[in-house]
């Protein structure tokens, strides 16, 4: 859990620019909790608006993950498939510079609309619902399974190409022995929707937000864990959580992540996976 002190530091100070957006007198946790309101686009819908009455400038957090949802006086929040309830809390800044954290507020979710199409591409079951898929190294790829190449230009490993036969040695050398040829991970929406052969769990989100037309098709973001060999070698094997999606089909997933500061033709890393339905 994120300590309340960390939440307080997130505000830095009471911003005078927000003084006209609602009351700024000190409020207790119980009072703030009673003020928090959650409304849905329609009954049971996953598109929510979170605000207080009377109006206050707030930061909204997911109560399950402590992830920041948004800030403002009316925060929009979309619940993704995999959860049948939204639970949040808010933090507001008082006039004396202190902050107050509310208790949790929840609302049931029974239907999902306005979803990014990438969610259906990656997690759709073909029947209007969502499911889990298992990913392994794409041993059929003509350009290897992992390696580096030119950022915004290459569509797979192109400079240093690691074949399926060499990936176990590479994984062991990077301190990820379970990420070798027999490694795997699963992806599904919702909490702990990601499981890995190394025994870690986490969550994942996806959007159709692209970096370059004609090169990538979206963005994949992990939390709590990483996909197979999800590290940047030249940065001390630091873990990489955000990826460009270069290709996503019923049987293939290609990902890319640039080294810090990389521009066109700068160094980037590439991952070639194949997909099957998780059992």
């Amino acid at each position: 859990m994120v300590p309340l002190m960390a939440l307080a530091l997130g505000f830095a100070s009471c911003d005078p620019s927000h003084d006209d957006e609602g009351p700024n007198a000190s409020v207790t946790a119980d009072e703030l909790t009673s003020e928090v309101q959650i409304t849905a686009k329609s009954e049971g819908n996953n598109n929510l608006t979170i605000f207080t009455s009377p109006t206050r400038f707030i930061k909204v957090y997911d109560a399950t993950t402590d992830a920041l949802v948004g800030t403002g006086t009316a925060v929009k929040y979309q619940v993704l498939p995999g959860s049948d309830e939204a639970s949040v809390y808010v933090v507001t800044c008082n006039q004396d510079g202190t902050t107050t954290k509310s208790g949790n507020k929840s609302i049931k979710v029974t239907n999902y609309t306005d979803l990014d199409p990438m969610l259906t591409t990656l997690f759709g079951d073909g029947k209007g619902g969502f499911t889990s898929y298992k990913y392994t190294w794409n041993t059929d790829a003509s350009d290897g399974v992992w390696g580096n190449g030119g950022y915004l230009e290459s569509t797979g490993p192109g400079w240093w190409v690691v074949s399926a036969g060499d990936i176990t040695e590479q994984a062991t050398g990077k301190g990820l022995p379970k990420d070798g040829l027999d490694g795997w991970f699963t992806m599904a929406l919702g909490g702990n929707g990601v499981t890995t052969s190394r025994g870690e769990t986490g969550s994942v989100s996806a959007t159709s937000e692209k970096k370059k037309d004609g090169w990538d098709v979206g963005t994949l973001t992990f939390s709590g864990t990483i996909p197979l060999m999800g590290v940047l070698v030249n940065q001390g094997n630091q873990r990489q959580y955000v990826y460009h999606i270069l290709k996503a089909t019923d049987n293939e997933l290609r990902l890319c992540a640039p080294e810090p500061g990389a521009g066109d033709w700068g160094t980037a890393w590439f991952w070639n996976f194949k997909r099957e339905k998780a059992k």
Side-chain angles (χ1 to χ4, degrees):
M1 300 290 286
V2 175
L4 187 55
M5 178 61 72
L7 298 177
L9 291 174
F11 272 97
S13 64
C14 287
D15 187 343
S17 67
H18 300 310
D19 286 351
D20 59 352
E21 295 175 329
N24 54 16
S26 295
V27 61
T28 68
D30 287 342
E31 290 170 338
L32 183 59
T33 302
S34 68
E35 293 177 3
V36 175
Q37 307 290 316
I38 306 176
T39 62
K41 183 176 180 180
S42 59
E43 185 174 358
N45 189 260
N46 64 313
N47 293 284
L48 310 175
T49 301
I50 300 130
F51 58 96
T52 60
S53 180
T55 301
R56 297 181 185 276
F57 187 86
I58 54 175
K59 284 191 172 183
V60 179
Y61 293 84
D62 184 302
T64 303
T65 65
D66 284 319
L68 178 64
V69 170
T71 63
T73 56
V75 176
K76 302 293 184 181
Y77 180 35
Q78 184 180 74
V79 181
L80 300 181
S83 176
D84 59 2
E85 181 181 79
S87 183
V88 302
Y89 63 85
V90 309
V91 178
T92 193
C93 191
N94 297 311
Q95 190 173 24
D96 61 4
T98 62
T99 60
T100 300
K101 174 186 174 183
S102 76
N104 295 350
K105 282 292 191 73
S106 302
I107 188 171
K108 291 292 183 182
V109 177
T110 56
N111 66 87
Y112 304 86
T113 62
D114 305 327
L115 295 173
D116 189 294
M118 185 53 68
L119 297 179
T120 300
T121 298
L122 288 175
F123 307 103
D125 62 3
K127 302 175 183 177
F130 296 86
T131 190
S132 174
Y133 290 96
K134 181 179 180 180
Y135 293 86
T136 56
W137 292 112
N138 187 358
T139 55
D140 298 322
S142 61
D143 53 353
V145 297
W146 181 71
N148 61 24
Y151 185 45
L152 303 175
E153 301 295 342
S154 300
T155 57
W159 297 343
W160 180 45
V161 178
V162 177
S163 67
D166 293 331
I167 192 62
T168 297
E169 180 182 0
Q170 288 296 324
T172 300
K174 304 301 182 291
L176 297 168
K178 298 290 183 67
D179 285 20
L181 188 58
D182 294 328
W184 55 266
F185 64 100
T186 65
M187 291 198 308
L189 292 170
N192 293 329
V194 179
T195 61
T196 69
S197 51
R198 75 181 78 89
E200 297 175 352
T201 61
S203 60
V204 66
S205 61
T207 72
S208 298
E209 182 178 352
K210 295 183 290 185
K211 181 68 175 181
K212 179 183 177 181
D213 286 341
W215 180 70
D216 64 329
V217 296
T219 304
L220 191 64
T221 303
F222 290 84
S223 178
T225 190
I226 51 175
L228 295 174
M229 291 287 284
V231 296
L232 295 182
V233 176
N234 295 330
Q235 275 62 52
N237 296 321
Q238 72 179 25
R239 291 191 164 206
Q240 178 68 23
Y241 294 96
V242 181
Y243 298 81
H244 300 298
I245 304 170
L246 304 187
K247 188 176 183 179
T249 68
D250 289 345
N251 54 22
E252 187 176 3
L253 177 66
R254 284 178 174 249
L255 303 178
C256 171
E259 292 193 346
D264 195 41
W265 282 114
T267 301
W269 292 84
F270 296 83
W271 292 258
N272 290 342
F273 300 121
K274 58 184 174 182
R275 180 179 104 164
E276 59 186 73
K277 194 165 185 177
K279 297 179 181 179

